[in-house]
Amino acid sequence: ADNLTIADTGHCGITIRSGDDDVGTIFFSDATSGTDEYVGYVQYDHSGNFMKWQTNGAERMRIDSSGNVGIGTTSPTSFSSEADNLVISGSGHTGITIDATSSTNSAIYFADGTSGNEQYRGYIYYEHSNDLFRIATAATERMVIDSSGNVGIGATPLSVQSGYVNLQL
């Protein structure tokens, strides 16, 4: 990929300057005519102050002027204002996969700071090595589901069998 090289011994970069109501774009093409000339691109829209990514002729991701990210949607702010920082939208089944090895863990943390237990005030945590699912609030584990489906709430194991709840005290 040496068709265009920009080099310096210090900081280096490229500027794409367009009008304040226009766009700046880097296109990815596999043809010399038609829509295949711009089948993929990265574009900054100055009138709306957002950046978008297109693959296979369709917009796939957008970062709006507030920093909200939409994957599969052009307007992440059209969803709940309490959860529009990252919106993943699809026309069929839609989801998020967190992939880890069988000897590691996967987690989603809910933080209200950057030190101590402020980093994990709430969490959803999966231990792959023993297939254990943990949920916490106030930086304290509140619920565990083990690989057999047994549920522990607080310090009390709970199991459901044949429609009855058995509480072991």
Side-chain angles (χ1 to χ4, degrees), residues 81-139:
S81 62
E82 291 187 10
D84 64 355
N85 302 99
L86 173 62
V87 175
I88 299 171
S89 180
S91 59
H93 300 293
T94 305
I96 298 172
T97 298
I98 300 174
D99 182 25
T101 66
S102 61
S103 62
T104 60
N105 304 316
S106 299
I108 298 174
Y109 289 97
F110 303 91
D112 58 15
T114 58
S115 64
N117 68 18
E118 294 172 340
Q119 299 174 59
Y120 57 88
R121 296 299 297 165
Y123 60 79
I124 301 169
Y125 192 88
Y126 192 82
E127 294 178 13
H128 293 273
S129 60
N130 58 10
D131 290 324
L132 194 68
F133 189 73
R134 301 175 182 277
I135 298 174
T137 63

Side-chain angles (χ1 to χ4, degrees), residues 44-97:
Y44 190 84
D45 183 307
H46 292 281
S47 64
N49 288 315
F50 61 85
M51 182 167 273
K52 65 181 181 178
W53 286 259
Q54 173 175 302
T55 64
N56 198 26
E59 182 176 330
R60 306 298 181 183
M61 185 171 82
R62 179 179 294 212
I63 301 175
D64 71 13
S65 61
S66 298
N68 298 317
V69 177
I71 298 173
T73 178
T74 60
S75 57
T77 56
S78 60
F79 296 87
S80 170
S81 62
E82 291 187 10
D84 64 355
N85 302 99
L86 173 62
V87 175
I88 299 171
S89 180
S91 59
H93 300 293
T94 305
I96 298 172
T97 298

Side-chain angles (χ1 to χ4, degrees), residues 28-42:
F28 301 90
S29 172
D30 57 7
T32 57
S33 65
T35 58
D36 285 341
E37 279 193 283
Y38 50 89
V39 71
Y41 63 74
V42 177

